[in-house]
Amino acid sequence: KAPSPADCEKSEQSGIEMVDEILTEPAEALSVHCPPKRILVVDDDADQVAVLADRLKKLGYDATFANTGGQAIESATTIVPDLVLLDLCLPDVNGFNVCEQLGEMSTTCGIPVIIVSGMETDDVVRRARTAGCAYYLRKPYDPNVLLTLIQNTLESTQDLGW
């Protein structure tokens, strides 16, 4: 039997509710069970960083930021975040180099990196994976997709004992 329009509408509504549940879950879970996960946001666009860091903090994450590759490396070695969100176009060095450097240092090699960039070259995803990123998300992006990737990445590294 084919689903009726009412069934489809119910399914869409429950899907929306599931997304809402997923996006509110980290704050509740983190506040009860363990200290907040640390996320380093690296982007040269200060306004975008501020909005994203604020949203992550509201969800219960400990978000810090860097605006250059040099700041990103320094912050990552100092605070050792649980995850790095990294733009590729930085004023001092490209994000591929930052990702590679993080993977080469003993203190940061276990930190997963999600590259979030608007770069439009044919081989950007391949280059991002070669540099060591866990995921590549193209700007502009759906914030719910980014938050789901963050949650999945943190859960998978937790399962590995990182």
Side-chain angles (χ1 to χ4, degrees):
K1 175 183 166 189
S4 70
D7 291 335
C8 291
E9 187 175 327
K10 286 180 193 173
S11 176
E12 288 175 6
Q13 289 173 348
S14 67
I16 291 168
E17 291 168 7
M18 285 179 58
V19 170
D20 288 341
E21 290 173 15
I22 289 171
L23 297 182
T24 59
E25 185 177 322
E28 296 165 5
L30 292 172
S31 65
V32 174
H33 301 294
C34 60
K37 296 289 186 179
R38 292 177 308 268
I39 298 176
L40 174 60
V41 181
V42 184
D43 197 312
D44 61 331
D45 183 341
D47 292 334
Q48 187 169 6
V49 168
V51 169
L52 183 55
D54 183 56
R55 184 155 189 202
L56 291 170
K57 287 178 182 180
K58 287 179 181 176
L59 290 170
Y61 296 106
D62 179 8
T64 58
F65 62 90
N67 298 115
T68 68
Q71 289 174 355
I73 297 297
E74 183 179 333
S75 294
T77 56
T78 303
I79 66 168
V80 190
D82 297 293
L83 175 70
V84 175
L85 299 177
L86 176 63
D87 186 21
L88 292 177
C89 298
L90 301 171
D92 58 343
V93 65
N94 73 49
F96 296 123
N97 292 344
V98 173
C99 192
E100 289 169 353
Q101 287 180 38
L102 291 173
E104 292 170 356
M105 294 186 291
S106 61
T107 55
T108 58
C109 65
I111 301 170
V113 176
I114 297 175
I115 292 180
V116 182
S117 180
M119 187 177 281
E120 293 188 33
T121 61
D122 291 338
D123 64 343
V124 68
V125 175
R126 181 191 57 78
R127 289 178 62 198
R129 297 290 292 162
T130 300
C133 82
Y135 293 102
Y136 178 88
L137 186 61
R138 183 145 188 257
K139 291 179 183 177
Y141 57 86
D142 178 341
N144 291 327
V145 171
L146 176 60
L147 293 172
T148 300
L149 283 176
I150 289 169
Q151 183 178 4
N152 290 343
T153 303
L154 290 171
E155 285 175 3
S156 68
T157 56
Q158 182 177 343
D159 292 343
L160 295 173
W162 289 348

